[in-house]
Amino acid sequence: TLHSQTTQPLLDMPELLWKAYIDFEISDQEYDNVRELYKRLLERTKHVKVWISLAQFEKDKIFNGYIQLETQLGNFDRCRKLYEKYLEWSPANCNAWSKFAQLENELGETERCRAIFEMAITQPLLDMPELLWKAYIDFEISDQEYDNVRELYKRLLERTKHVKVWISLAQFEKDIENVEGARQAYKDAFTSLKNTELKEERLMLVESWKEFETEQGDPVHIAEVTKMMPKKIIRRRSVKALDGSDAGLEEYYDYIFPDEQTSAPNLKILEMAHKWKKLKPNNDE
């Protein structure tokens, strides 16, 4: 079990592992286990962040408990007021924003739901923005407001050019059987990432694109994307030890895309010339 795997090396558990363990117990509603974890963590550190996190857990639990009770009683106006107070206290809480919007959606209040999501994504600080944006997009998809979905992706891509957002947009278009829309999303993504150093992200994009075209079965499009696949090569780079001394060389994979290979010969010539100049003895004659 997770508990048995983490009991022995607890002293060395990094911050993210503690958080993941606590979040796991919260998601399983094992609140006594959560308190026990905080107790054990506080035996090892008295950091103020841990105390604040514990206080937020207890307050989150109180708010969620009251909201669940009022929901069961059908007091939905009371639920709204509780969510408003909750979010005044914790405006960065994406889970609370999503649940508030979900409540309105379940009550058939589509515009209220949309307004809550709009307020949420404009917050200056959010703890899990990717989950909030996904919830908003999923809501618009479920309501079959596909133009709204595209507008949300457009706004999200103004904030981040992450390859997973581009792939998600292409997947959305494919799911609603808009093949050309999906293909255009891949093309736009490829253009966006073309002049970056994010080679692994570019590889992920082209692989996803090739898989999409293979599913469509058009040999012309498959061939076009196949030509975009990079060449995988092994490079070496110097490694420094913790004390700053030279620790030798390590191998790593690099990817050379076809649009980079045109400049490769010139770069190779320059590299050779530079090495030759360093080896050439000084001669002032």
Side-chain angles (χ1 to χ4, degrees), residues 234-240 246-253:
I234 298 176
R235 294 191 187 276
R236 292 181 177 84
R237 59 190 170 198
S238 60
V239 181
K240 296 292 184 182
D246 189 0
L249 298 173
E250 69 172 3
E251 292 185 343
Y252 70 99
Y253 289 118

Side-chain angles (χ1 to χ4, degrees), residues 186-199:
Y186 279 119
K187 289 179 180 178
D188 291 343
F190 187 79
T191 300
S192 174
L193 296 173
K194 185 174 182 180
N195 295 320
T196 70
E197 295 298 321
L198 305 174
K199 293 193 175 185

Side-chain angles (χ1 to χ4, degrees), residues 12 75 152 174 234 246 251:
D12 298 322
N75 296 330
L152 280 174
K174 189 188 85 167
I234 298 176
D246 189 0
E251 292 185 343

Side-chain angles (χ1 to χ4, degrees), residues 84-99:
E84 288 169 4
K85 291 293 184 183
Y86 190 0
L87 290 163
E88 283 178 13
W89 171 71
S90 183
N93 191 326
C94 290
N95 189 47
W97 282 109
S98 295
K99 285 186 174 180

Side-chain angles (χ1 to χ4, degrees), residues 29-45:
Q29 297 186 357
E30 294 289 349
Y31 300 129
D32 288 340
N33 290 357
V34 174
R35 294 187 182 94
E36 179 62 24
L37 278 175
Y38 273 115
K39 178 182 176 182
R40 290 159 64 187
L41 180 55
L42 286 165
E43 288 172 356
R44 292 159 173 79
T45 175

